[in-house]
Amino acid sequence: MTGLITLRHEVEQTRFRREQIDDSRTAIPAGTVKSLEKALRAEIRGEVHFDDGFRALYATDASNYRQVPIGVVIPRDVEDVIHAVAAAREHGAPVLSRGGGTSLAGQCCNVGLVLDFSKYLIRVLEIDPDRRTARVEPGVILDDLRNAAQAYGLTFGPDPATHSRNTLGGMLGNNSCGVHSLLCRKSGRGLRTSDNTHSLAVLTYDGLGMEVGPTSDDDLERLTRGAGRRGEIYRALAGLRDRYADRIRRDFPQLPRRVSGYNLDELLPENGFNVARALVGTESTCVTILEATLDLVPNPGARSLLVLGYPDVFATADHLMQILDLDPTALEGMDHLLFEWISRKGDERANLSMLPEGRGWLLVEFGGDSKEDADQQAHQCMEMLKRQDSRPTMRLLDDPHEERMIWEVRESGLGATAWVPGQPDSWPGFEDSAVPPARVGEYLRDLKSLMNRYGLNPSLYGHFG
Protein backbone atom coordinates (compact mmCIF):
# COMPACT_ATOMS: atom_id res chain seq x y z
CA MET A 1 0.00 0.00 0.00
CA THR A 2 2.85 2.37 0.81
CA GLY A 3 4.18 1.93 -2.71
CA LEU A 4 0.79 2.79 -4.21
CA ILE A 5 0.50 5.89 -2.05
CA THR A 6 4.00 6.98 -3.06
CA LEU A 7 3.26 6.43 -6.75
CA ARG A 8 -0.04 8.32 -6.46
CA HIS A 9 1.81 11.20 -4.81
CA GLU A 10 4.35 11.18 -7.64
CA VAL A 11 1.59 11.29 -10.24
CA GLU A 12 -0.19 14.13 -8.46
CA GLN A 13 3.04 16.08 -8.13
CA THR A 14 3.84 15.46 -11.79
CA ARG A 15 0.39 16.66 -12.86
CA PHE A 16 0.72 19.76 -10.69
CA ARG A 17 4.19 20.55 -12.03
CA ARG A 18 3.08 19.96 -15.61
CA GLU A 19 0.23 22.41 -15.17
CA GLN A 20 2.65 25.00 -13.81
CA ILE A 21 5.00 24.73 -16.83
CA ASP A 22 4.22 27.24 -19.55
CA ASP A 23 4.07 26.22 -23.20
CA SER A 24 7.64 27.35 -23.86
CA ARG A 25 8.91 24.65 -21.49
CA THR A 26 6.99 21.77 -23.08
CA ALA A 27 8.97 20.28 -25.92
CA ILE A 28 6.16 19.87 -28.47
CA PRO A 29 2.41 20.70 -28.63
CA ALA A 30 -0.13 18.28 -27.14
CA GLY A 31 -1.50 17.28 -30.53
CA THR A 32 1.99 16.43 -31.75
CA VAL A 33 2.58 14.35 -28.63
CA LYS A 34 -0.41 12.17 -29.52
CA SER A 35 0.85 11.82 -33.08
CA LEU A 36 4.31 10.87 -31.79
CA GLU A 37 2.85 8.25 -29.45
CA LYS A 38 0.81 6.74 -32.29
CA ALA A 39 3.85 6.60 -34.58
CA LEU A 40 5.95 4.93 -31.91
CA ARG A 41 3.32 2.32 -31.10
CA ALA A 42 3.15 1.43 -34.78
CA GLU A 43 6.90 0.83 -35.09
CA ILE A 44 8.37 -0.15 -31.71
CA ARG A 45 8.63 -3.82 -30.70
CA GLY A 46 9.57 -2.84 -27.17
CA GLU A 47 7.58 -0.70 -24.75
CA VAL A 48 6.01 2.73 -25.28
CA HIS A 49 4.70 4.65 -22.25
CA PHE A 50 3.01 8.06 -22.31
CA ASP A 51 0.80 7.76 -19.19
CA ASP A 52 1.25 10.13 -16.25
CA GLY A 53 2.38 7.45 -13.83
CA PHE A 54 5.17 6.16 -16.04
CA ARG A 55 6.31 9.67 -16.94
CA ALA A 56 6.45 10.50 -13.23
CA LEU A 57 8.80 7.58 -12.65
CA TYR A 58 11.20 9.00 -15.24
CA ALA A 59 10.88 12.65 -14.17
CA THR A 60 13.87 12.52 -11.84
CA ASP A 61 17.10 10.67 -11.15
CA ALA A 62 19.33 10.61 -8.05
CA SER A 63 19.48 14.42 -8.08
CA ASN A 64 17.06 17.03 -6.79
CA TYR A 65 15.97 17.97 -10.33
CA ARG A 66 12.63 17.12 -11.92
CA GLN A 67 11.73 17.33 -15.60
CA VAL A 68 8.65 15.46 -16.83
CA PRO A 69 9.43 13.64 -20.11
CA ILE A 70 7.13 13.66 -23.13
CA GLY A 71 7.11 9.88 -23.10
CA VAL A 72 9.30 6.84 -22.50
CA VAL A 73 10.45 4.20 -24.96
CA ILE A 74 12.09 1.00 -23.71
CA PRO A 75 13.65 -0.33 -26.93
CA ARG A 76 13.94 -4.07 -27.41
CA ASP A 77 16.76 -3.83 -29.96
CA VAL A 78 18.78 -1.41 -32.07
CA GLU A 79 16.05 -1.26 -34.72
CA ASP A 80 13.68 0.07 -32.06
CA VAL A 81 16.20 2.79 -31.23
CA ILE A 82 16.50 3.78 -34.89
CA HIS A 83 12.69 3.93 -35.27
CA ALA A 84 12.30 5.92 -32.03
CA VAL A 85 14.86 8.54 -33.01
CA ALA A 86 13.31 8.81 -36.49
CA ALA A 87 9.84 9.35 -35.00
CA ALA A 88 11.20 11.95 -32.58
CA ARG A 89 12.91 13.76 -35.44
CA GLU A 90 9.76 13.78 -37.58
CA HIS A 91 7.78 15.27 -34.68
CA GLY A 92 10.44 17.73 -33.49
CA ALA A 93 10.91 16.04 -30.11
CA PRO A 94 14.20 16.04 -28.19
CA VAL A 95 15.71 12.65 -27.33
CA LEU A 96 17.41 11.65 -24.06
CA SER A 97 19.17 8.33 -23.49
CA ARG A 98 18.82 7.03 -19.94
CA GLY A 99 20.77 4.39 -18.05
CA GLY A 100 20.25 3.45 -14.42
CA GLY A 101 19.07 6.88 -13.27
CA THR A 102 21.93 7.26 -10.76
CA SER A 103 23.04 10.70 -12.00
CA LEU A 104 23.51 13.37 -9.33
CA ALA A 105 23.15 16.48 -11.48
CA GLY A 106 19.97 15.89 -13.47
CA GLN A 107 21.63 14.24 -16.47
CA CYS A 108 18.82 11.66 -16.77
CA CYS A 109 16.00 14.25 -16.73
CA ASN A 110 14.65 16.29 -19.61
CA VAL A 111 11.42 17.35 -21.30
CA GLY A 112 12.00 14.99 -24.19
CA LEU A 113 11.50 11.44 -25.37
CA VAL A 114 13.40 9.21 -22.94
CA LEU A 115 15.04 6.03 -24.26
CA ASP A 116 15.65 3.55 -21.42
CA PHE A 117 18.25 0.96 -22.47
CA SER A 118 18.49 -0.82 -19.11
CA LYS A 119 15.83 -3.52 -19.68
CA TYR A 120 16.60 -5.13 -23.04
CA LEU A 121 19.88 -3.80 -24.47
CA ILE A 122 21.93 -5.46 -21.74
CA ARG A 123 24.32 -7.85 -23.48
CA VAL A 124 28.07 -8.11 -23.11
CA LEU A 125 28.63 -8.90 -26.78
CA GLU A 126 32.31 -9.84 -26.70
CA ILE A 127 35.38 -9.96 -24.47
CA ASP A 128 38.67 -9.94 -26.41
CA PRO A 129 41.39 -10.88 -23.89
CA ASP A 130 44.21 -10.39 -26.42
CA ARG A 131 43.23 -6.81 -27.25
CA ARG A 132 41.90 -6.28 -23.71
CA THR A 133 38.60 -4.89 -24.96
CA ALA A 134 34.92 -5.47 -24.29
CA ARG A 135 32.05 -4.81 -26.69
CA VAL A 136 28.80 -3.97 -24.88
CA GLU A 137 25.29 -2.69 -25.39
CA PRO A 138 24.50 0.58 -23.57
CA GLY A 139 22.18 -0.97 -20.97
CA VAL A 140 24.80 -3.34 -19.52
CA ILE A 141 25.22 -2.95 -15.75
CA LEU A 142 28.84 -2.24 -14.86
CA ASP A 143 29.11 -5.20 -12.47
CA ASP A 144 27.87 -7.54 -15.21
CA LEU A 145 30.71 -6.41 -17.46
CA ARG A 146 33.23 -6.74 -14.63
CA ASN A 147 32.01 -10.24 -13.83
CA ALA A 148 32.34 -11.26 -17.48
CA ALA A 149 35.82 -9.75 -17.77
CA GLN A 150 36.99 -11.36 -14.53
CA ALA A 151 37.10 -14.74 -16.25
CA TYR A 152 40.06 -13.38 -18.24
CA GLY A 153 41.73 -11.60 -15.32
CA LEU A 154 40.52 -8.22 -16.63
CA THR A 155 38.20 -5.46 -15.45
CA PHE A 156 36.86 -2.05 -16.45
CA GLY A 157 38.70 0.48 -14.34
CA PRO A 158 36.16 3.27 -13.75
CA ASP A 159 33.65 2.15 -11.12
CA PRO A 160 31.21 4.61 -9.52
CA ALA A 161 29.80 3.70 -6.10
CA THR A 162 26.58 2.67 -7.89
CA HIS A 163 28.43 -0.05 -9.86
CA SER A 164 25.79 -2.66 -9.01
CA ARG A 165 23.10 -0.72 -10.88
CA ASN A 166 24.60 1.98 -13.11
CA THR A 167 24.85 1.19 -16.83
CA LEU A 168 27.78 1.53 -19.22
CA GLY A 169 25.68 3.86 -21.39
CA GLY A 170 25.18 6.11 -18.39
CA MET A 171 28.91 6.05 -17.65
CA LEU A 172 29.62 7.00 -21.27
CA GLY A 173 27.08 9.81 -21.09
CA ASN A 174 28.42 11.10 -17.79
CA ASN A 175 32.14 10.31 -18.34
CA SER A 176 32.29 8.56 -14.99
CA CYS A 177 35.35 7.77 -12.89
CA GLY A 178 35.09 5.98 -9.53
CA VAL A 179 36.97 4.34 -6.70
CA HIS A 180 39.20 2.08 -8.82
CA SER A 181 39.95 4.50 -11.62
CA LEU A 182 43.51 4.38 -10.29
CA LEU A 183 43.73 0.89 -11.81
CA CYS A 184 43.65 2.68 -15.16
CA ARG A 185 46.41 5.04 -14.06
CA LYS A 186 48.52 2.06 -12.99
CA SER A 187 48.02 0.59 -16.49
CA GLY A 188 49.04 3.81 -18.18
CA ARG A 189 45.52 5.08 -18.93
CA GLY A 190 43.54 8.07 -17.76
CA LEU A 191 40.98 7.87 -14.97
CA ARG A 192 37.80 8.66 -16.91
CA THR A 193 35.47 6.49 -18.95
CA SER A 194 36.51 8.52 -22.01
CA ASP A 195 40.15 7.55 -21.44
CA ASN A 196 39.07 3.89 -21.49
CA THR A 197 36.82 4.02 -24.56
CA HIS A 198 38.13 2.56 -27.82
CA SER A 199 35.21 3.13 -30.22
CA LEU A 200 31.45 3.73 -30.36
CA ALA A 201 28.63 2.80 -32.71
CA VAL A 202 26.40 5.89 -32.74
CA LEU A 203 23.23 7.23 -34.31
CA THR A 204 22.83 10.91 -35.10
CA TYR A 205 19.51 12.71 -34.70
CA ASP A 206 19.16 12.95 -38.46
CA GLY A 207 19.48 9.17 -38.80
CA LEU A 208 23.12 8.54 -39.70
CA GLY A 209 24.62 5.43 -38.14
CA MET A 210 28.41 5.16 -37.98
CA GLU A 211 31.32 3.83 -35.96
CA VAL A 212 33.67 6.42 -34.51
CA GLY A 213 37.00 6.18 -32.71
CA PRO A 214 40.64 7.14 -33.21
CA THR A 215 41.29 8.58 -36.67
CA SER A 216 44.66 8.53 -38.39
CA ASP A 217 45.76 11.48 -40.53
CA ASP A 218 45.16 9.45 -43.70
CA ASP A 219 41.70 8.37 -42.55
CA LEU A 220 40.79 11.92 -41.58
CA GLU A 221 41.89 13.18 -44.97
CA ARG A 222 39.72 10.54 -46.65
CA LEU A 223 36.72 11.18 -44.42
CA THR A 224 36.78 14.96 -44.81
CA ARG A 225 36.84 14.54 -48.60
CA GLY A 226 33.91 12.13 -48.49
CA ALA A 227 30.45 12.89 -49.75
CA GLY A 228 27.25 12.82 -47.75
CA ARG A 229 26.43 13.53 -44.14
CA ARG A 230 29.42 11.70 -42.70
CA GLY A 231 31.80 13.82 -44.76
CA GLU A 232 30.00 16.96 -43.57
CA ILE A 233 30.36 15.92 -39.94
CA TYR A 234 34.07 15.16 -40.19
CA ARG A 235 34.76 18.39 -42.09
CA ALA A 236 32.94 20.33 -39.39
CA LEU A 237 34.85 18.57 -36.61
CA ALA A 238 38.19 19.11 -38.32
CA GLY A 239 37.30 22.77 -38.86
CA LEU A 240 36.37 23.15 -35.19
CA ARG A 241 39.69 21.64 -34.18
CA ASP A 242 41.68 23.85 -36.54
CA ARG A 243 40.00 27.04 -35.34
CA TYR A 244 40.34 26.40 -31.62
CA ALA A 245 43.30 24.02 -31.20
CA ASP A 246 45.59 26.63 -29.64
CA ARG A 247 42.93 27.82 -27.20
CA ILE A 248 42.05 24.25 -26.25
CA ARG A 249 45.70 23.48 -25.51
CA ARG A 250 46.12 26.69 -23.55
CA ASP A 251 42.87 26.97 -21.62
CA PHE A 252 41.49 23.48 -20.93
CA PRO A 253 42.10 22.65 -17.23
CA GLN A 254 44.86 20.09 -16.81
CA LEU A 255 42.92 17.81 -14.48
CA PRO A 256 43.05 14.01 -14.48
CA ARG A 257 39.32 14.01 -13.74
CA ARG A 258 38.06 16.87 -15.92
CA VAL A 259 34.57 15.86 -17.01
CA SER A 260 32.84 19.22 -17.42
CA GLY A 261 31.99 20.32 -20.95
CA TYR A 262 32.86 18.58 -24.20
CA ASN A 263 36.15 16.71 -24.70
CA LEU A 264 37.30 18.89 -27.58
CA ASP A 265 40.90 18.13 -26.69
CA GLU A 266 40.36 14.58 -28.00
CA LEU A 267 40.14 16.07 -31.51
CA LEU A 268 43.69 17.42 -31.33
CA PRO A 269 46.24 15.68 -33.61
CA GLU A 270 48.37 14.60 -30.65
CA ASN A 271 45.31 12.80 -29.22
CA GLY A 272 44.52 10.91 -32.42
CA PHE A 273 41.38 12.83 -33.43
CA ASN A 274 39.38 10.36 -31.33
CA VAL A 275 35.74 11.14 -32.03
CA ALA A 276 34.50 8.40 -29.68
CA ARG A 277 36.33 9.91 -26.72
CA ALA A 278 35.17 13.39 -27.74
CA LEU A 279 31.56 12.14 -27.58
CA VAL A 280 31.88 10.56 -24.12
CA GLY A 281 30.32 12.94 -21.60
CA THR A 282 27.97 14.66 -24.06
CA GLU A 283 24.81 13.20 -22.43
CA SER A 284 22.75 12.59 -25.62
CA THR A 285 23.27 16.13 -26.92
CA CYS A 286 25.23 14.93 -29.96
CA VAL A 287 24.43 11.26 -30.63
CA THR A 288 22.62 8.20 -29.32
CA ILE A 289 25.10 5.46 -28.41
CA LEU A 290 24.13 2.04 -29.78
CA GLU A 291 27.21 0.04 -28.80
CA ALA A 292 30.60 0.62 -27.19
CA THR A 293 34.00 -1.04 -27.38
CA LEU A 294 35.80 -0.38 -24.11
CA ASP A 295 39.39 -0.88 -23.01
CA LEU A 296 39.97 -3.26 -20.10
CA VAL A 297 42.84 -3.38 -17.61
CA PRO A 298 44.37 -6.24 -15.58
CA ASN A 299 42.42 -7.06 -12.44
CA PRO A 300 44.71 -7.65 -9.44
CA GLY A 301 44.78 -11.20 -8.16
CA ALA A 302 44.74 -9.95 -4.55
CA ARG A 303 44.20 -6.66 -2.74
CA SER A 304 45.22 -5.22 0.62
CA LEU A 305 43.52 -2.33 2.41
CA LEU A 306 45.57 0.10 4.49
CA VAL A 307 43.56 2.60 6.56
CA LEU A 308 45.27 5.82 7.66
CA GLY A 309 43.92 8.03 10.45
CA TYR A 310 44.37 11.81 10.61
CA PRO A 311 43.21 14.58 13.00
CA ASP A 312 40.61 15.71 10.43
CA VAL A 313 39.60 15.19 6.81
CA PHE A 314 41.72 18.16 5.66
CA ALA A 315 44.91 16.55 6.94
CA THR A 316 44.17 13.40 4.94
CA ALA A 317 45.39 15.28 1.87
CA ASP A 318 48.85 15.97 3.35
CA HIS A 319 50.47 12.82 1.94
CA LEU A 320 48.36 12.23 -1.17
CA MET A 321 51.11 12.84 -3.70
CA GLN A 322 53.63 10.58 -1.94
CA ILE A 323 51.05 7.80 -1.73
CA LEU A 324 50.07 8.21 -5.39
CA ASP A 325 53.72 7.67 -6.31
CA LEU A 326 53.34 4.11 -4.95
CA ASP A 327 50.57 3.28 -7.47
CA PRO A 328 47.65 2.29 -5.21
CA THR A 329 44.58 0.82 -6.87
CA ALA A 330 42.25 3.02 -4.79
CA LEU A 331 42.72 6.11 -2.63
CA GLU A 332 39.58 7.35 -0.90
CA GLY A 333 39.07 9.95 1.83
CA MET A 334 36.24 10.36 4.32
CA ASP A 335 35.49 12.29 7.49
CA HIS A 336 34.08 11.32 10.88
CA LEU A 337 30.59 12.56 10.01
CA LEU A 338 30.12 9.81 7.44
CA PHE A 339 30.59 7.13 10.10
CA GLU A 340 28.68 9.08 12.74
CA TRP A 341 25.60 9.59 10.57
CA ILE A 342 25.53 5.99 9.34
CA SER A 343 25.80 4.87 12.96
CA ARG A 344 22.78 7.01 13.89
CA LYS A 345 20.76 4.95 11.44
CA GLY A 346 21.65 1.79 13.35
CA ASP A 347 23.97 0.43 10.65
CA GLU A 348 26.48 -1.99 12.17
CA ARG A 349 28.94 -1.35 9.36
CA ALA A 350 29.78 2.07 10.85
CA ASN A 351 32.03 0.58 13.50
CA LEU A 352 34.76 3.04 14.43
CA SER A 353 36.70 0.32 16.24
CA MET A 354 37.72 -1.01 12.82
CA LEU A 355 39.57 2.24 12.10
CA PRO A 356 42.83 3.67 13.45
CA GLU A 357 42.54 6.71 15.72
CA GLY A 358 41.47 9.90 13.98
CA ARG A 359 38.59 12.02 12.69
CA GLY A 360 39.50 11.71 9.02
CA TRP A 361 40.69 8.63 7.15
CA LEU A 362 42.32 7.56 3.92
CA LEU A 363 41.50 4.17 2.47
CA VAL A 364 44.57 3.07 0.51
CA GLU A 365 44.20 -0.13 -1.49
CA PHE A 366 47.08 -1.94 -3.13
CA GLY A 367 46.66 -4.67 -5.73
CA GLY A 368 49.14 -7.42 -6.53
CA ASP A 369 49.53 -10.83 -8.10
CA SER A 370 49.26 -12.38 -4.63
CA LYS A 371 48.26 -11.34 -1.11
CA GLU A 372 51.94 -11.26 -0.17
CA ASP A 373 52.64 -8.89 -3.07
CA ALA A 374 49.77 -6.56 -2.13
CA ASP A 375 50.74 -6.61 1.57
CA GLN A 376 54.35 -5.82 0.70
CA GLN A 377 53.22 -2.71 -1.21
CA ALA A 378 51.11 -1.65 1.79
CA HIS A 379 54.08 -2.10 4.16
CA GLN A 380 56.23 -0.04 1.82
CA CYS A 381 53.65 2.75 2.08
CA MET A 382 53.61 2.46 5.87
CA GLU A 383 57.40 2.73 6.07
CA MET A 384 57.33 5.79 3.83
CA LEU A 385 54.69 7.47 6.00
CA LYS A 386 56.63 6.80 9.21
CA ARG A 387 59.32 9.13 7.87
CA GLN A 388 56.86 11.99 7.23
CA ASP A 389 56.03 14.92 9.47
CA SER A 390 52.67 14.50 11.22
CA ARG A 391 52.57 10.85 10.32
CA PRO A 392 49.12 9.23 10.45
CA THR A 393 47.90 6.38 12.60
CA MET A 394 47.77 3.19 10.54
CA ARG A 395 46.02 -0.14 10.35
CA LEU A 396 46.56 -2.78 7.67
CA LEU A 397 43.39 -4.86 7.64
CA ASP A 398 43.57 -8.63 7.31
CA ASP A 399 39.90 -9.48 7.87
CA PRO A 400 37.97 -9.64 4.56
CA HIS A 401 34.69 -9.01 6.41
CA GLU A 402 36.01 -5.77 7.93
CA GLU A 403 37.42 -4.66 4.58
CA ARG A 404 34.05 -5.24 2.93
CA MET A 405 32.23 -3.32 5.68
CA ILE A 406 34.52 -0.28 5.34
CA TRP A 407 34.13 -0.21 1.56
CA GLU A 408 30.35 -0.47 1.92
CA VAL A 409 30.37 2.53 4.28
CA ARG A 410 32.33 4.55 1.73
CA GLU A 411 30.08 3.48 -1.17
CA SER A 412 26.93 4.37 0.77
CA GLY A 413 28.11 7.95 1.29
CA LEU A 414 25.41 9.78 -0.66
CA GLY A 415 22.50 7.88 0.83
CA ALA A 416 24.05 7.86 4.29
CA THR A 417 24.44 11.64 4.42
CA ALA A 418 20.89 12.36 3.25
CA TRP A 419 17.98 12.30 5.71
CA VAL A 420 20.09 11.87 8.82
CA PRO A 421 18.08 11.57 12.07
CA GLY A 422 18.15 14.93 13.82
CA GLN A 423 19.56 16.74 10.77
CA PRO A 424 17.80 18.85 8.11
CA ASP A 425 17.19 17.14 4.77
CA SER A 426 20.16 17.40 2.44
CA TRP A 427 20.44 17.45 -1.36
CA PRO A 428 23.20 16.72 -3.85
CA GLY A 429 25.16 19.86 -4.61
CA PHE A 430 28.96 19.94 -4.46
CA GLU A 431 29.39 16.21 -5.15
CA ASP A 432 32.19 15.20 -7.51
CA SER A 433 34.21 18.39 -7.32
CA ALA A 434 37.34 18.01 -9.46
CA VAL A 435 40.62 19.60 -8.39
CA PRO A 436 44.28 18.61 -8.83
CA PRO A 437 45.16 16.01 -6.18
CA ALA A 438 47.97 18.24 -4.90
CA ARG A 439 45.39 20.88 -3.92
CA VAL A 440 42.72 18.69 -2.31
CA GLY A 441 43.49 19.83 1.25
CA GLU A 442 43.45 23.51 0.30
CA TYR A 443 40.21 23.06 -1.62
CA LEU A 444 38.44 21.20 1.21
CA ARG A 445 39.37 23.88 3.74
CA ASP A 446 37.99 26.61 1.47
CA LEU A 447 34.85 24.58 0.73
CA LYS A 448 34.20 23.95 4.43
CA SER A 449 34.65 27.66 5.16
CA LEU A 450 32.10 28.49 2.47
CA MET A 451 29.66 25.93 3.85
CA ASN A 452 30.09 27.30 7.39
CA ARG A 453 29.24 30.78 6.14
CA TYR A 454 25.81 29.52 5.09
CA GLY A 455 25.17 27.28 8.07
CA LEU A 456 25.70 24.03 6.18
CA ASN A 457 27.37 20.99 7.71
CA PRO A 458 28.32 18.51 4.99
CA SER A 459 30.17 15.24 5.28
CA LEU A 460 33.30 15.44 3.14
CA TYR A 461 34.38 12.28 1.32
CA GLY A 462 35.43 11.24 -2.15
CA HIS A 463 38.02 9.96 -4.60
CA PHE A 464 41.04 11.76 -3.13
CA GLY A 465 43.43 10.14 -5.60
Side-chain angles (χ1 to χ4, degrees), residues 358-377:
R359 287 173 64 81
W361 296 273
L362 277 183
L363 310 181
V364 191
E365 182 191 87
F366 291 95
D369 296 331
S370 65
K371 192 68 169 71
E372 292 75 16
D373 179 15
D375 281 349
Q376 182 180 7
Q377 295 177 55

Side-chain angles (χ1 to χ4, degrees), residues 297-314:
V297 296
N299 193 32
R303 305 176 191 233
S304 296
L305 180 61
L306 172 62
V307 185
L308 307 176
Y310 291 85
D312 53 43
V313 70
F314 313 113

